[in-house]
Amino acid sequence: TDKDQFIIEIQNLVIGLQKSADRASAFKDAVLKVKKGEFSTISGASGPGKSIMSSATLKDISPVLTVLDGEILYKGVDQLN
């Protein structure tokens, strides 16, 4: 049914940081799935990449960052290509 379909699917997402950063990626292998009618939050300490993941989901990723792996689907449509 429509309610069983995922609105947002993030699978194995890896976003690389600029070379001057203290680590190679903002996060590795991020996974998030949200079905129609569900609510989800992303929480954690300062600096692990919550805002970067949110920006990538909205197709608003900074030009100094690079999607190294994974996919973001919104209603089944690839948001990274």
Side-chain angles (χ1 to χ4, degrees):
T1 67
D2 190 40
K3 194 157 183 134
D4 292 330
Q5 303 220 346
F6 293 110
I7 298 297
I8 296 175
E9 291 182 79
I10 298 174
Q11 292 289 342
N12 305 316
L13 188 62
V14 180
I15 297 193
L17 299 173
Q18 61 268 33
K19 293 182 186 206
S20 62
D22 64 341
R23 60 193 190 274
S25 62
F27 46 80
K28 294 180 183 176
D29 300 324
V31 174
L32 174 69
K33 294 181 180 184
V34 180
K35 289 182 180 179
K36 184 175 182 177
E38 289 184 334
F39 293 91
S40 183
T41 62
I42 301 171
S43 64
S46 178
K50 299 177 301 290
S51 295
I52 292 173
M53 185 180 349
S54 298
S55 294
T57 303
L58 297 171
K59 294 182 173 183
D60 188 29
I61 192 165
S62 169
V64 300
L65 304 176
T66 307
V67 176
L68 300 174
D69 198 9
E71 63 182 1
I72 298 174
L73 303 176
Y74 175 69
K75 294 184 177 180
V77 177
D78 186 355
Q79 299 299 295
L80 298 176
N81 293 318

